[in-house]
Amino acid sequence: MGERSAVKKQLIVDAARRVFADKGYKDVTMTDIVEACGISRGGLYLYFGSTRELFLEVMRAEEGMDDDVFAGQLGEDAAAVDVLMLFFREQKREILGKKGDLSMAVYEYCFAGEDGKEEPALKRRFESAIRALERLIEAGIDDGSFYEVDAREVSRNVMYALEGMRICSRTMGLTEAEVDGELLALARGLVAE
Amino acid sequence: MGERSAVKKQLIVDAARRVFADKGYKDVTMTDIVEACGISRGGLYLYFGSTRELFLEVMRAEEGMDDDVFAGQLGEDAAAVDVLMLFFREQKREILGKKGDLSMAVYEYCFAGEDGKEEPALKRRFESAIRALERLIEAGIDDGSFYEVDAREVSRNVMYALEGMRICSRTMGLTEAEVDGELLALARGLVAE
Amino acid sequence: MGERSAVKKQLIVDAARRVFADKGYKDVTMTDIVEACGISRGGLYLYFGSTRELFLEVMRAEEGMDDDVFAGQLGEDAAAVDVLMLFFREQKREILGKKGDLSMAVYEYCFAGEDGKEEPALKRRFESAIRALERLIEAGIDDGSFYEVDAREVSRNVMYALEGMRICSRTMGLTEAEVDGELLALARGLVAE
Amino acid sequence: MGERSAVKKQLIVDAARRVFADKGYKDVTMTDIVEACGISRGGLYLYFGSTRELFLEVMRAEEGMDDDVFAGQLGEDAAAVDVLMLFFREQKREILGKKGDLSMAVYEYCFAGEDGKEEPALKRRFESAIRALERLIEAGIDDGSFYEVDAREVSRNVMYALEGMRICSRTMGLTEAEVDGELLALARGLVAE
DNA sequence: TATGAATGAGTCTTCATTCAT
DNA sequence: AATGAATGAAGACTCATTCAT
């Protein structure tokens, strides 16, 4: 695959990302992608044989974008509390926001998984997020701003609760107050304030 | 619709429940249902005009089956701790269990909701579960077996975490140990033991 | 077929007439008739095996209702001119009126006729109307109020023109003025006024 | 849509014309067209989304074929009488002819029109024919070969009568003698002969 | 006779996928 | 490489007709 092809491929993936974010996973047709990226039907098939392949590519492109979430943020000037608050603010936005994010598509893709084969990449990413949060909590404990909790345990609980809110928001709807309430409760489990 | 019809309708709903539990929501076709309940195409349409109608009926039949989860359980002889453990054991089974459960179908149905109209019934049910758990926690606090936590806050956190595990289990897979770990952590937030 | 049956049959035919007048011929389904006459599906089939049979019965019931249109009207006190005007007024109402008349259904039924088999009953009726009008014209000539035209020829021309207006009204639409204009012209072919 | 497509589209329209001429409008299914033009189901849908669309295209293709019916015919050498006779001969052929003509389909299409919305194109065409005939009559009056009738009035009457014969022919059947008789009568209203 | 549930064939419509150019 | 016309297999839905009761 030459230089040109790589560019075109990226163009397709970008367009596909928009489509998946908009329509989820199962409702997306090859026609949707074709229309979104202004390429020919046959042309698209030269690169991707199905919406599944395309979605996997979109996911792969997504990887690494938010690894080491807190890497570099934790410095001398940034306190653990501040980083945590930043993280929560970001999460709140994602949980309440409906458009432009892939979470529904990801869920749907997983549901569609044949034979219950879970996506290992997804788990890897989730675990890596847990560990990152864990390190943040440890840092908070070290500098005395957080309670002396079991960092691993609390990190997992926070992540499950966030995931729970994400799905609740998309299925039954959550108000901003409800999200704020839970985030506050989670924060109070770590810091006095 | 006579006696006979009601029986047949129930027969269809039962068959549909199995199909939805097996294939989720979006992939289910009227043909799937037809084959599952050994009825003719036209015959099915006499009762339900779409998979959506059918799914709603399945959901309705599901309702009430687990309302007042802890009603009657909390008596003189059953301590709050025991009821909580029972609840957690049941949740664990649901979270890890893949077959015969509708949660994926429910999620998918919600995703498919036009214009992001959330299902109010779902929220009502979730809120009612939160309140039930809240009352259980209050009972535990009253009889001195639980810490003096903010019952409402903890109840919500537990429910979000459970929901989070449910979706994680179905998308990325969770091990029994992971579920046990989180449940233990949640329990430790309430009782010493 | 007993007394009761005849009553029921008439009830069905009456309901069917309304349906055909409302929806034409081809769009009418057995379900439409069933709903219109409040009888059971199977019950209807005891009397009529298809919408075609039903339509034929409706047509048959219609027969004789307007034979000898002008019979008895032409007396000593009623001049031919007056009867003609009455006839034209009635025709105008039919031509412009859209609802409650069977003409569209009749046309459709004839179009649907297999192999171009024309309906002889229809022709008989048309011819009988021509002759009736012819006799009216002759009467008018006799009493000196009409020009001395070829009664048969003029009668046919009037009938064709009326039929032409009927179909034009239902396909391309005719204004009241257009119908009035043509009727006036037809009348002027017979009387001075 | 390239060169090739236009050819195929025309091929479909031609096939559709035959089908409509044969079966009318309402009975025609997409399958009929598919079979008539030897194309695949999906292929047909690339060009036309419904029988209605197809029919409109067939009609459009038909337009203009007989506009200005008498244009150019009326010259120094062609007398109005001759043109009229030619016109009548053509009409007679159409009225008596059953196969290969769209009139029944057109009628049916109009009947099927939702809410009685009449087809304006049809009316325009009819009015234009009336005016053309009117000019012919005026020409005949001018050169002294026709009686001094009200050209507009007679033209409308002739057109209604022709339309009436057309529908009568297709519903109850007309003999050649009957058509000849009426045409002769119409002609005698204009010329002595 | 009368009922209305049940059947299955037929129509419409959409899409993933192929293929000649 | 690239195009987009073409294909055919599903899936949704309707309705004439039958049949057990």
Side-chain angles (χ1 to χ4, degrees):
Chain A
M1 191 179 298
E3 187 85 22
R4 297 263 300 288
S5 297
V7 170
K8 195 162 208 171
K9 193 164 184 172
Q10 190 54 45
L11 196 138
I12 295 173
V13 171
D14 289 345
R17 209 209 103 96
R18 285 194 299 276
V19 177
F20 284 122
D22 187 40
K23 301 188 63 174
Y25 175 67
K26 285 204 175 154
D27 282 346
V28 173
T29 70
M30 283 306 240
T31 303
D32 290 326
I33 312 282
V34 162
E35 282 167 2
C37 65
I39 214 178
S40 74
R41 226 173 172 61
L44 177 56
Y45 271 90
L46 288 179
Y47 296 94
F48 300 98
S50 64
T51 55
R52 184 166 187 280
E53 268 180 44
L54 249 166
F55 187 71
L56 288 174
E57 191 64 27
V58 168
M59 296 279 281
R60 215 166 296 139
E62 210 76 353
E63 304 253 342
M65 283 182 51
D66 45 14
D67 275 356
D68 297 318
V69 212
F70 315 120
Q73 296 194 0
L74 260 185
E76 298 156 12
D77 46 351
V81 182
D82 299 327
V83 177
L84 185 75
M85 288 307 134
L86 208 68
F87 173 60
F88 274 7
R89 202 158 330 147
E90 173 66 19
Q91 287 295 310
K92 176 182 163 185
R93 218 176 48 73
E94 266 190 47
I95 289 167
L96 290 172
K98 299 239 161 64
K99 286 294 167 199
D101 99 326
L102 284 175
S103 58
M104 280 169 62
V106 171
Y107 290 146
E108 273 195 278
Y109 171 75
C110 291
F111 294 161
E114 303 84 35
D115 327 312
K117 261 189 294 178
E118 295 94 7
E119 209 49 40
L122 225 55
K123 178 134 200 180
R124 241 182 297 120
R125 207 162 140 199
F126 190 70
E127 293 295 337
S128 120
I130 288 181
R131 276 194 301 277
L133 181 56
E134 190 183 335
R135 282 193 297 273
L136 176 64
I137 294 175
E138 282 165 353
I141 294 174
D142 284 350
D143 71 15
S145 57
F146 287 2
Y147 297 138
E148 296 217 344
V149 297
D150 178 329
R152 162 157 286 273
E153 200 176 282
V154 171
S155 173
R156 290 195 85 89
N157 175 255
V158 169
M159 290 301 291
Y160 285 135
L162 290 174
E163 203 64 27
M165 281 193 282
R166 206 184 316 279
I167 190 77
C168 283
S169 170
R170 274 152 183 83
T171 54
M172 60 188 75
L174 286 187
T175 66
E176 186 170 357
E178 286 169 325
V179 177
D180 280 337
E182 173 68 10
L183 289 177
L184 192 58
L186 290 175
R188 269 206 289 257
L190 285 170
V191 296
E193 188 175 5
Chain B
M1 196 177 293
E3 186 87 24
R4 295 266 303 291
S5 296
V7 171
K8 188 157 224 169
K9 192 165 186 172
Q10 191 53 47
L11 197 139
I12 295 174
V13 171
D14 290 344
R17 212 208 101 96
R18 283 194 300 276
V19 178
F20 284 123
D22 186 39
K23 301 188 62 174
Y25 176 67
K26 282 199 178 161
D27 280 347
V28 173
T29 70
M30 283 308 241
T31 304
D32 289 328
I33 312 279
V34 161
E35 284 167 1
C37 65
I39 215 178
S40 72
R41 228 184 156 55
L44 178 55
Y45 273 91
L46 284 180
Y47 296 91
F48 299 98
S50 64
T51 55
R52 184 167 187 279
E53 261 182 49
L54 249 166
F55 187 71
L56 289 174
E57 189 65 27
V58 168
M59 295 280 280
R60 213 167 298 136
E62 212 78 352
E63 303 251 341
M65 282 182 53
D66 46 14
D67 274 358
D68 297 317
V69 210
F70 314 120
Q73 296 193 0
L74 258 186
E76 299 156 12
D77 45 351
V81 182
D82 299 326
V83 178
L84 185 75
M85 287 307 133
L86 208 68
F87 174 59
F88 275 8
R89 202 156 333 148
E90 172 67 18
Q91 288 295 310
K92 177 182 163 186
R93 216 176 50 73
E94 267 190 47
I95 289 167
L96 289 172
K98 299 243 160 61
K99 285 295 165 199
D101 125 319
L102 285 175
S103 59
M104 280 167 58
V106 171
Y107 290 145
E108 272 196 278
Y109 171 76
C110 290
F111 293 163
E114 303 83 38
D115 326 313
K117 259 188 296 176
E118 294 95 7
E119 208 51 37
L122 225 56
K123 177 134 201 177
R124 238 181 300 118
R125 210 164 140 194
F126 190 71
E127 293 293 338
S128 121
I130 289 180
R131 275 193 300 278
L133 181 56
E134 189 183 337
R135 282 192 296 274
L136 176 65
I137 295 175
E138 282 165 352
I141 295 174
D142 285 349
D143 71 16
S145 56
F146 287 1
Y147 297 138
E148 295 218 344
V149 296
D150 179 329
R152 161 156 287 272
E153 200 176 280
V154 171
S155 174
R156 288 195 87 90
N157 174 257
V158 170
M159 291 300 293
Y160 285 134
L162 289 174
E163 205 64 28
M165 282 192 282
R166 207 184 315 280
I167 189 78
C168 284
S169 170
R170 272 150 187 84
T171 54
M172 60 188 75
L174 285 187
T175 64
E176 186 171 356
E178 286 169 325
V179 177
D180 280 338
E182 174 69 9
L183 289 179
L184 192 59
L186 291 175
R188 269 206 290 256
L190 284 170
V191 295
E193 187 175 5
Chain C
M1 193 179 296
E3 187 83 26
R4 298 263 299 286
S5 297
V7 171
K8 193 161 209 172
K9 192 165 185 171
Q10 190 53 46
L11 196 138
I12 295 173
V13 172
D14 290 344
R17 209 209 104 95
R18 285 194 299 275
V19 177
F20 285 122
D22 186 39
K23 301 189 61 174
Y25 175 67
K26 285 204 176 155
D27 281 346
V28 173
T29 70
M30 284 306 241
T31 303
D32 290 327
I33 312 282
V34 162
E35 283 167 2
C37 66
I39 213 176
S40 74
R41 226 172 171 63
L44 177 56
Y45 271 90
L46 289 178
Y47 296 93
F48 300 98
S50 64
T51 54
R52 184 167 187 279
E53 268 181 45
L54 249 166
F55 187 72
L56 288 174
E57 190 64 28
V58 168
M59 295 280 280
R60 214 166 296 138
E62 210 78 351
E63 303 253 341
M65 283 181 52
D66 46 13
D67 274 357
D68 298 319
V69 211
F70 315 119
Q73 296 194 2
L74 259 185
E76 297 159 11
D77 45 353
V81 182
D82 300 326
V83 177
L84 186 73
M85 288 306 134
L86 208 67
F87 173 60
F88 275 7
R89 203 159 329 147
E90 172 67 19
Q91 288 295 310
K92 176 182 161 185
R93 216 177 49 73
E94 266 190 46
I95 289 167
L96 290 172
K98 299 240 160 65
K99 286 295 164 198
D101 99 325
L102 284 176
S103 59
M104 281 171 59
V106 171
Y107 290 145
E108 272 195 277
Y109 171 76
C110 290
F111 294 162
E114 304 84 35
D115 327 313
K117 260 188 295 178
E118 295 93 8
E119 210 48 41
L122 224 56
K123 177 134 202 179
R124 239 181 298 118
R125 208 164 140 198
F126 190 71
E127 292 296 338
S128 122
I130 290 180
R131 276 193 300 278
L133 180 55
E134 188 183 338
R135 283 193 295 274
L136 176 65
I137 295 175
E138 282 165 352
I141 296 174
D142 285 351
D143 71 15
S145 56
F146 287 0
Y147 297 138
E148 297 218 344
V149 296
D150 178 331
R152 162 157 286 273
E153 199 176 280
V154 171
S155 173
R156 290 195 86 88
N157 176 255
V158 170
M159 290 301 291
Y160 285 134
L162 289 174
E163 204 63 27
M165 282 193 282
R166 205 184 317 279
I167 190 77
C168 284
S169 170
R170 273 152 187 82
T171 54
M172 61 188 75
L174 285 187
T175 64
E176 187 171 358
E178 287 170 325
V179 177
D180 281 338
E182 173 67 9
L183 289 177
L184 192 59
L186 290 174
R188 268 205 291 256
L190 285 170
V191 295
E193 187 175 6
Chain D
M1 198 177 293
E3 187 87 23
R4 296 268 301 291
S5 296
V7 170
K8 187 156 224 169
K9 191 165 185 171
Q10 192 52 48
L11 197 138
I12 294 173
V13 171
D14 290 344
R17 211 208 102 95
R18 285 194 299 276
V19 177
F20 284 123
D22 186 39
K23 302 189 62 174
Y25 175 67
K26 282 198 177 163
D27 280 347
V28 173
T29 70
M30 284 307 242
T31 304
D32 289 329
I33 312 280
V34 161
E35 282 167 2
C37 64
I39 215 177
S40 72
R41 227 179 159 57
L44 177 55
Y45 273 91
L46 283 180
Y47 296 92
F48 299 97
S50 64
T51 54
R52 184 167 187 277
E53 264 180 49
L54 249 165
F55 186 71
L56 289 174
E57 189 65 27
V58 168
M59 295 279 281
R60 213 166 299 137
E62 211 79 352
E63 303 253 340
M65 284 183 50
D66 46 13
D67 274 357
D68 298 317
V69 211
F70 315 121
Q73 296 194 1
L74 259 185
E76 298 157 11
D77 45 351
V81 183
D82 299 327
V83 176
L84 185 74
M85 288 307 134
L86 208 66
F87 173 60
F88 275 6
R89 203 157 331 147
E90 172 67 19
Q91 288 295 310
K92 175 182 161 186
R93 217 177 47 74
E94 267 189 45
I95 289 167
L96 289 172
K98 300 241 159 62
K99 286 295 164 198
D101 124 319
L102 284 176
S103 58
M104 279 166 59
V106 171
Y107 290 145
E108 271 196 279
Y109 172 76
C110 290
F111 294 164
E114 302 83 38
D115 326 312
K117 260 189 294 177
E118 294 95 9
E119 207 51 37
L122 224 58
K123 177 135 201 177
R124 240 181 300 117
R125 211 164 141 195
F126 190 72
E127 293 295 337
S128 122
I130 289 180
R131 275 193 300 276
L133 180 57
E134 189 183 337
R135 282 193 295 273
L136 176 65
I137 295 175
E138 282 165 354
I141 296 174
D142 284 352
D143 71 15
S145 57
F146 287 0
Y147 297 138
E148 296 219 343
V149 296
D150 179 330
R152 161 156 286 271
E153 198 176 283
V154 170
S155 174
R156 288 196 87 90
N157 175 256
V158 169
M159 290 301 291
Y160 285 134
L162 289 174
E163 204 63 29
M165 281 193 282
R166 204 184 318 279
I167 189 79
C168 284
S169 170
R170 271 149 188 85
T171 53
M172 61 187 75
L174 286 186
T175 65
E176 185 170 357
E178 286 170 324
V179 177
D180 280 337
E182 174 68 7
L183 289 178
L184 191 60
L186 290 174
R188 268 206 290 259
L190 284 170
V191 297
E193 187 176 7

